[in-house]
Amino acid sequence: MINLGVGCVIPPMALNVFIVKNITKEPLGVIYKGVYPFLISLFVCGALLFVFPQLATFLPNLLMK
């Protein structure tokens, strides 16, 4: 899901960015200035899950004992 979120924001697909552009009529540069902090956090979360995959299964394992 994290990779899908990144794929919806960065080109060549950038589906979410183009939808926001058509709704707000703002240039892409302005939209990407607001998107960058979220994009960086998605990359950090993806890297953490890559290094520590137990983070993704901790809560389900805790609840399912």
Side-chain angles (χ1 to χ4, degrees), residues 25-51:
K25 306 296 187 216
E26 291 286 335
L28 285 175
V30 172
I31 295 170
Y32 271 110
K33 283 182 184 177
V35 168
Y36 280 137
F38 297 102
L39 194 58
I40 291 169
S41 68
L42 283 173
F43 279 124
V44 169
C45 288
L48 283 173
L49 286 173
F50 181 76
V51 174

Side-chain angles (χ1 to χ4, degrees), residues 4 8 19 41 50 54-55 58:
L4 183 64
C8 287
I19 290 172
S41 68
F50 181 76
Q54 304 89 345
L55 291 173
F58 171 73

Side-chain angles (χ1 to χ4, degrees), residues 11-33:
M13 291 301 287
L15 184 64
N16 293 347
V17 174
F18 290 129
I19 290 172
V20 170
K21 181 185 182 311
N22 285 334
I23 291 172
T24 62
K25 306 296 187 216
E26 291 286 335
L28 285 175
V30 172
I31 295 170
Y32 271 110
K33 283 182 184 177

